């Protein structure tokens, strides 16, 4: 009876999936071999996406399976990027004479999407399209055993974070990195070993180091493994004993039932370089105080902390363009099928290119775009981004999203003739630590009176560690500004200019 019911369920599922696929494919109308390949790619991507979402809804502990899933995930991102780029190029040809759409971000021959059709006879386009088809087909041909084993892993009893409805509420694109950190934390050392294992995590500003470690220590496996998890600032490291941790930092987890001398996980976030002598003193006292199999995870934007690790450092980089586009697309369109809005999808791709992989930028712009699914509104957002980039290039010689990662001043346009220049910002983790300040929308719309020094909330993250990003602006009518140097400033000083 059970087998009969499963057969019925399988038949219904196949019909539903087939209906959805056929609906999606009606939007591709290219009558050529190229169109057939796009048809095949879109059908294949739907199959791949189903497998990935099912896999991300289960606890996969086999590292080989996790690696195989990561390869499939990267090829899916690449496939969607190529598919959407081709659709965007087709839309660009159809709207070449439409002056509503800004051409400031027109694809150049150096852009991957443009390379698809840059050479004569579409040779390059056919090559890239065929390559991603071959890669996906090759992977899918060997996924039978993967799917069989996957069914033996227990499901995560919550709505999978990978679903498109929840992509803005999860950590995106760091599955392999998270698995590696957890694997490091779960390792059991010889009881006779007194040294504490240290894992350095390095990467540029805003790459997501704090987000990664927050998701790691919030994982059920990690919480069950450690009796106490403490997050402290590297600025608190000095020559004193680690026992002072009882009065410092933030306790992320504590389970007294396990015993006060059990395993402790210390996560130390360095915002600046730390003196090696001070670190060695701190580390020695930590080894004497902490229980066996305690661990440390240290994070910094500087590669200098790599030498403090007992294992190879984990280096975080910004997402590849293909993965970032997938994230921004799903975040922006949500449940809306982007295939129904080819013009908006093209504008969104241009906006994504301008943000240079910024997670903060993606979240802010997606919120603005979702307010109105009209091309005129999206063109206005694109034009604003274009003006902001041009202003920063003229003032500082670089894209503002790149400047902010380097702790350099960047401009933020308020309206046509006024803009703010900011050098730093501060991050608030606890909700109570965020002062009564105006939001970015209030500031831009001038719905509040701005005098003297004001604090502006740029964005509040909806995922761990729930940071709020705040800038402090000093209003001025001067044409010149004084850049306050020093990456450790609590507040960033911003100046309003009149051009």
């Amino acid at each position: 009876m059970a087998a009969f019911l499963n057969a019925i369920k399988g038949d219904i599922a196949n019909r539903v999936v087939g209906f959805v696929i056929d609906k999606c494919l009606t939007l591709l109308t290219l009558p050529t071999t190229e169109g057939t390949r796009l048809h095949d790619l879109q059908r294949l991507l739907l199959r791949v996406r189903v497998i990935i979402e099912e896999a991300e809804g289960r606890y996969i502990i086999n590292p080989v399976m996790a690696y195989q899933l990561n390869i499939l995930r990267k090829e899916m991102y690449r496939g969607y990027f190529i598919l959407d780029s081709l659709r965007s190029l087709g839309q660009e040809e159809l709207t070449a004479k439409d002056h509503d759409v800004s051409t400031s971000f027109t694809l150049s021959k150096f852009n991957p999407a443009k390379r698809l059709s840059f050479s004569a006879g579409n040779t390059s386009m056919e090559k890239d399209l065929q390559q991603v088809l071959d890669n996906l087909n090759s992977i899918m041909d060997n996924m039978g055993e993967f799917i069989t084993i996957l069914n033996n892993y227990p499901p995560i009893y919550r709505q999978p974070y990978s679903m498109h409805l929840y992509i803005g509420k999860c950590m995106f694109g760091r599955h392999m990195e998270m698995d590696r950190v957890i694997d490091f934390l779960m390792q059991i050392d010889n009881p006779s070993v007194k040294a504490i294992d240290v894992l350095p995590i390095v990467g540029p500003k805003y790459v997501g180091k704090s987000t990664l470690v927050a998701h790691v220590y919030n994982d059920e496996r990690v919480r069950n493994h450690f009796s106490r998890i403490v997050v402290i600032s590297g600025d608190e490291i000095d020559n004193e004993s680690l026992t002072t941790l009882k009065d410092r930092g933030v306790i992320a987890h504590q389970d007294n039932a396990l015993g006060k001398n059990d395993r402790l996980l210390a996560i130390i976030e360095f915002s600046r370089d730390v003196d090696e002598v001070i670190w060695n003193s701190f580390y020695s006292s930590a080894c004497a105080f902490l229980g066996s199999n305690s661990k440390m995870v240290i994070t910094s934007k500087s590669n200098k902390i790599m030498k403090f690790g007992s294992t190879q450092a984990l280096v975080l980089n910004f997402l590849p363009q293909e993965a970032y586009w997938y994230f921004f697309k799903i975040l922006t369109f949500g449940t809306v099928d982007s295939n129904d809005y080819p013009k908006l999808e093209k504008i969104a791709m241009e906006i994504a290119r301008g943000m240079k992989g910024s997670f903060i930028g993606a979240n802010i712009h997606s919120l603005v775009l979702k307010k109105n699914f009209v091309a005129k509104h999206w063109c206005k957002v694109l034009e604003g981004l274009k003006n902001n980039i041009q202003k920063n290039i003229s003032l500082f010689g670089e894209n503002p999203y790149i400047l902010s990662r380097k702790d350099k001043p960047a401009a933020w346009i308020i309206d046509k003739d006024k803009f703010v220049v900011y050098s730093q910002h501060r991050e608030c983790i606890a909700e109570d630590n965020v002062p009564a300040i105006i939001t970015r929308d209030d500031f831009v719309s001038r719905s509040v009176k701005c005098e003297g020094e004001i604090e502006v909330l740029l964005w509040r993250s909806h995922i761990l560690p729930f940071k709020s990003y705040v800038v402090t602006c000093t209003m001025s009518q001067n044409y010149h500004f004084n850049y306050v140097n020093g990456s450790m400033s609590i507040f960033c000083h911003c100046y309003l200019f009149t051009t």
Side-chain angles (χ1 to χ4, degrees):
M1 185 65 177
F4 176 71
L5 292 176
N6 289 335
I8 294 178
K9 291 179 182 178
D11 180 65
I12 294 175
N14 288 333
R15 293 186 182 186
V16 171
V17 172
F19 171 78
V20 173
I21 292 176
D22 290 339
K23 180 181 181 299
C24 293
L25 295 180
T26 57
L27 295 166
L28 290 174
T29 58
L30 296 177
T32 62
T33 302
E34 182 180 308
T36 301
R37 290 176 180 174
L38 287 177
H39 184 283
D40 294 340
L41 176 59
Q42 188 162 5
R43 180 182 292 274
L44 190 55
L45 287 172
L46 288 173
R47 291 175 56 201
V48 169
R49 187 170 174 177
V50 170
I51 294 176
I52 291 176
E53 291 190 353
E54 177 63 26
E56 291 179 348
R58 295 177 180 270
Y59 279 121
I60 298 178
I61 59 176
N62 187 311
V64 177
M65 289 188 65
Y67 179 75
Q68 187 176 5
L69 178 62
N70 192 55
I71 293 176
L72 182 63
R73 191 183 290 114
K74 288 181 178 179
E75 285 298 326
M76 181 188 73
Y77 297 152
R78 185 185 176 206
Y80 273 113
F81 182 78
I82 290 177
L83 184 68
D84 296 337
S85 295
L86 286 170
R87 187 184 295 115
S88 177
L89 287 173
Q91 183 65 24
E92 184 176 311
E93 293 176 0
L94 293 174
T95 59
K97 297 182 180 180
D98 188 349
H99 299 290
D100 290 337
V101 180
S102 170
T103 59
S104 60
F105 290 104
T106 301
L107 302 180
S108 70
K109 65 180 181 180
F110 302 105
N111 186 280
K114 191 66 175 178
R115 288 199 302 268
L116 294 173
S117 58
F118 191 77
S119 59
N122 291 331
T123 303
S124 181
M125 178 185 66
E126 293 177 1
K127 180 180 178 180
D128 287 354
L129 182 58
Q130 189 60 50
Q131 184 180 44
V132 74
L133 274 171
D134 291 343
N135 291 346
L136 284 172
N137 277 314
S138 177
I139 296 173
M140 292 297 290
D141 287 343
N142 299 307
M143 289 299 289
E145 184 178 0
F146 178 93
I147 296 173
T148 300
I149 299 176
L150 183 66
N151 292 327
N152 296 325
Y153 285 102
I156 301 174
Y157 293 104
R158 55 169 170 74
Q159 200 75 345
Y161 277 160
S162 59
M163 295 180 64
H164 65 280
L165 290 174
Y166 300 90
I167 198 169
K169 300 178 182 179
C170 73
M171 179 181 62
F172 178 82
R174 299 298 186 194
H175 303 85
M176 288 293 291
E177 292 87 346
M178 185 170 178
D179 288 342
R180 183 190 161 184
V181 178
I182 293 178
D183 181 65
F184 162 80
L185 297 177
M186 296 294 105
Q187 292 175 6
I188 302 298
D189 300 326
N190 191 314
S192 62
V193 177
K194 299 299 181 181
I196 299 173
D197 286 337
V198 180
L199 171 64
I201 301 178
V202 299
K205 197 172 184 179
Y206 308 138
V207 78
K209 299 182 293 293
S210 297
T211 299
L212 175 63
V213 295
H215 280 73
V216 167
Y217 67 66
N218 195 56
D219 188 275
E220 183 180 357
R221 293 165 290 178
V222 175
R223 287 176 173 258
N224 290 337
H225 189 73
F226 294 96
S227 60
R228 183 182 174 93
I229 302 174
V230 180
V231 182
I232 65 174
S233 168
D235 300 338
E236 300 181 51
I237 299 299
D238 53 31
N239 290 318
E240 298 179 15
S241 170
L242 188 63
T243 55
T244 56
L245 269 180
K246 294 182 178 180
D247 302 318
R248 296 183 181 182
V250 177
I251 299 176
H253 169 72
Q254 183 166 329
D255 188 351
N256 294 327
L258 294 178
K260 61 182 179 180
N261 292 322
D262 282 326
R263 291 184 291 265
L264 182 144
L265 170 58
I267 297 170
I268 307 169
E269 300 180 331
F270 293 105
S271 58
R272 58 182 175 180
D273 290 338
V274 59
D275 184 83
E276 187 171 357
V277 175
I278 293 178
W279 167 259
N280 290 335
S281 176
F282 168 79
Y283 179 74
S284 297
S285 64
C287 292
F289 172 76
L290 296 180
S292 61
N293 288 301
S294 293
K295 306 283 185 181
M296 281 189 192
V297 175
I298 56 178
T299 69
S300 175
K301 63 183 179 181
S302 172
N303 292 337
K304 293 181 180 179
I305 70 164
M306 288 183 174
K307 58 187 176 183
F308 300 151
S310 62
T311 186
Q312 184 178 5
L314 174 61
V315 180
L316 292 185
N317 295 305
F318 286 96
L319 294 179
Q321 187 178 22
E322 296 86 353
Y324 182 74
W325 162 240
Y326 183 85
F327 170 75
F328 182 63
K329 171 186 174 182
I330 302 301
L331 188 67
T332 302
F333 286 92
T335 57
V336 177
D337 190 348
S338 63
N339 293 329
D340 295 333
Y341 298 90
K343 189 172 182 179
L344 298 187
E345 187 177 71
K346 174 187 178 297
I347 299 171
M349 288 199 80
E350 296 178 358
I351 292 174
R353 292 187 193 101
M355 293 186 296
K356 301 299 181 182
S358 168
F359 282 106
I360 297 177
N363 280 276
I364 291 176
H365 280 86
S366 67
L367 288 175
V368 175
L369 294 174
K370 286 189 289 189
K371 291 181 179 179
N372 193 347
F373 273 77
V374 176
K376 184 177 180 180
H377 171 67
W378 287 41
C379 289
K380 186 177 180 180
V381 175
L382 175 59
E383 187 68 20
L385 177 63
K386 174 199 70 173
N387 293 336
N388 197 33
I389 292 176
Q390 290 177 342
K391 175 63 70 175
N392 279 273
I393 291 176
S394 65
L395 287 174
F396 310 113
E398 210 162 5
N399 183 293
Y401 292 103
I402 302 299
L403 290 168
S404 62
R405 297 172 194 169
K406 299 179 179 179
D407 286 329
K408 293 183 178 180
W412 171 21
I413 293 180
I414 300 175
D415 53 38
K416 293 181 179 179
D417 61 346
K418 294 181 176 64
F419 61 94
V420 163
V421 174
Y422 58 94
S423 59
Q424 305 292 329
H425 78 252
R426 65 188 178 97
E427 302 170 358
C428 303
I429 297 180
E431 192 77 21
D432 295 338
N433 290 338
V434 181
I437 54 181
I438 65 175
T439 65
R440 178 180 180 275
D441 290 341
D442 294 332
F443 193 60
V444 173
S445 65
R446 298 298 184 90
S447 60
V448 295
K449 186 177 181 180
C450 300
E451 293 182 354
E453 187 177 85
I454 61 172
E455 291 190 319
V456 180
L457 175 64
L458 290 181
W459 179 63
R460 179 178 286 118
S461 174
H462 300 293
I463 65 175
L464 290 168
F466 303 111
K467 287 186 177 181
S468 295
Y469 298 86
V470 180
V471 294
T472 301
C473 305
T474 302
M475 312 306 294
S476 171
Q477 296 300 321
N478 296 326
Y479 285 91
H480 300 86
F481 68 96
N482 296 318
Y483 170 48
V484 180
N485 195 10
S487 60
M488 295 308 299
S489 300
I490 296 179
F491 296 107
C492 62
H493 295 275
C494 309
Y495 300 86
L496 178 65
F497 288 78
T498 303
T499 59

